[in-house]
Amino acid sequence: MPLALLALAVGAFAIGTTEFVIMGLLPEVATDLGVPVPTAGYLISAYALGVVVGAPLLTALSTRLPRKTVLLVFMGLFLAGNLATVLAPSFGSVFASRVLAGLPHGAYLGVGSLVAAHIAGPGRRATGVSRMFLGLTVANIVGVPAGTFLGQAMGWRAAFLVVVGIALLAMAGIAAFVPRQPSPPGTGLRHEVRELGRSQVVLGLVTAVFGFAGVFAVYSYVSPMMTELAGMSASGVPVVLALFGTGMTLGSLVIGPLADRALRPTIYGALASLAVVLVVFTVTVHNPWTAAVTVLVLGAVGFGVATPLQVLVMNKAAQAPTMAATSNHSAFNLANAAGAWLGGVGIGAGLGYSSPAAIGAVLAVVGLGIAVVAGLLDRPGRERGPSARASEAEAPEYSTLS
């Protein structure tokens, strides 16, 4: 992996670790801050709120800046938010620090995707994006379990202090190895918003919401599903979570080259496979071994949706892709919230702990339907205004992917 892509992946690793490690440290956080565990859970929502708000806001403020500079600023803001979490004395201040840490999440990953695609070169852009996203997937294998262990042994703030160190390392790598890329000529906030409003971009974002909501409907409740249905002990749950992260990593390695060859068919295949795996999970979840294997596959096909959808919205907003690329991560976090809520609705309605998988399958099918409709509408002669023609003329490396 080129050192520039590795530096971007280290930043993604820090982001993935801070987003998910708090889920395993909620009891410690609650005890230290003197609040109930459910109240401490609001800190997860605080981070997601920061992501949803920060992606479009920070992008709007940075459209004319060089991308390397933007990446350094975003990672610096992320570092500051996590350092504030380490130093925050009360629940309210920790809540505010988690919002601050979440603000640059989507903006960094969106701009980083554009830079990774540029570094990888024509014909390998999806592969470049998937390599940067490896940082997110490896975080679920290494960063989150290690951070949870460290937080339990040395206090929950220690985990976030390590994230600060990783963010500093990422900034050093970006400064040293990422090539300078000026902002595309003629771009600005108005141009970015216009490209974001194109129908294919909007359909791509909506596909991301439904497809990823299917994943998070299950992932949010995988712990009680394993203990209540599969018969695992609580000590086995971290192993299952690591299997999910392993699946995400394998999926990321495979999906990039596939998306480079055939973008839309890869999206269709990933969403269809996700729906099938979720249906199968309603059966296999009742045995610990089959449940563990299915979680591994779920991680692979679930995260397999992320890279091709990221590249799709970049392609369809090729003249000014920054806002679209960052907004895709807002869509993923909306999917996180919606999937968790809908899965909880199924359980609360008395449908059992297997119901999130069935609900997730329906969401994946809806996402597949939207993706197919988008593909049918994206025929020669449709949505071919001056902006689209200019995009294809100026960015042929993108048009070959769509």
Side-chain angles (χ1 to χ4, degrees):
M1 181 187 294
L3 290 176
L5 283 179
L6 180 60
L8 295 173
V10 170
F13 178 88
I15 285 173
T17 300
T18 202
E19 181 177 17
F20 294 111
V21 72
I22 196 169
M23 297 177 184
L25 294 173
L26 284 182
E28 288 76 14
V29 173
T31 299
D32 182 56
L33 297 178
V35 297
V37 170
T39 301
Y42 294 152
L43 298 175
I44 300 172
S45 301
Y47 187 88
L49 175 64
V51 178
V52 173
V53 173
L57 177 63
L58 294 182
T59 301
L61 296 174
S62 62
T63 53
R64 295 190 181 277
L65 296 177
R67 287 173 177 164
K68 180 174 181 175
T69 301
V70 168
L71 287 171
L72 288 171
V73 171
F74 289 166
M75 188 49 58
L77 181 60
F78 173 81
L79 185 156
N82 281 278
L83 183 58
T85 298
V86 174
L87 301 175
S90 64
F91 176 79
S93 57
V94 173
F95 188 97
S97 73
R98 298 313 294 154
V99 174
L100 177 63
L103 286 175
H105 173 124
Y108 174 87
L109 293 177
V111 175
S113 296
L114 297 171
V115 174
H118 175 82
I119 292 170
R124 288 180 53 81
R125 297 184 177 274
T127 299
V129 173
S130 70
R131 295 302 181 263
M132 188 197 76
F133 279 178
L134 278 176
L136 289 175
T137 65
V138 173
N140 283 274
I141 303 174
V142 179
V144 173
T148 301
F149 175 80
L150 179 66
Q152 291 172 342
M154 301 182 64
W156 66 272
R157 297 174 193 270
F160 293 96
L161 185 59
V162 170
V163 171
V164 170
I166 298 171
L168 189 61
L169 180 63
M171 291 183 69
I174 292 168
F177 302 118
V178 172
R180 183 176 177 84
Q181 292 183 36
S183 59
T187 61
L189 179 57
R190 183 178 299 178
H191 199 178
E192 291 279 355
V193 172
R194 184 169 66 245
E195 290 289 286
L196 181 63
R198 293 183 62 194
S199 63
Q200 286 295 323
V201 176
V202 172
L203 288 170
L205 295 175
V206 176
T207 301
V209 171
F210 279 95
F212 245 65
V215 177
F216 281 106
V218 170
Y219 186 72
S220 301
Y221 301 98
V222 69
S223 179
M225 291 172 80
M226 292 300 102
T227 56
E228 298 294 329
L229 299 182
M232 286 186 181
S233 65
S235 61
V237 173
V239 177
V240 173
L241 295 177
L243 284 174
F244 184 84
T246 302
M248 291 171 65
T249 302
L250 295 175
S252 184
L253 289 170
V254 172
I255 208 72
L258 289 177
D260 278 326
R261 294 181 180 181
L263 183 57
R264 286 203 185 273
T266 301
I267 293 173
Y268 302 153
L271 288 168
S273 299
L274 175 60
V276 170
V277 171
L278 288 169
V279 170
V280 170
F281 194 41
T282 62
V283 177
T284 60
V285 72
H286 297 282
N287 177 278
W289 294 104
T290 57
V293 172
T294 309
V295 167
L296 174 70
V297 178
L298 177 62
V301 298
F303 197 77
V305 178
T307 294
L309 284 174
Q310 180 75 22
V311 174
L312 178 68
V313 298
M314 288 160 53
N315 292 354
K316 296 307 174 182
Q319 258 197 319
T322 308
M323 184 73 80
T326 56
S327 294
N328 206 38
H329 294 281
S330 291
F332 289 149
N333 276 268
L334 286 174
N336 188 342
W341 176 68
L342 290 171
V345 168
I347 296 172
L351 300 178
Y353 278 108
S354 64
S355 62
I359 292 169
V362 174
L363 292 169
V365 169
V366 173
L368 175 60
I370 295 170
V372 170
V373 170
L376 293 174
L377 292 175
D378 194 29
R379 297 287 183 84
R382 293 181 180 268
E383 204 175 14
R384 283 293 193 266
S387 175
R389 288 192 293 270
S391 297
E392 292 176 359
E394 296 177 13
E397 67 271 21
Y398 283 105
S399 62
T400 57
L401 295 176
S402 57

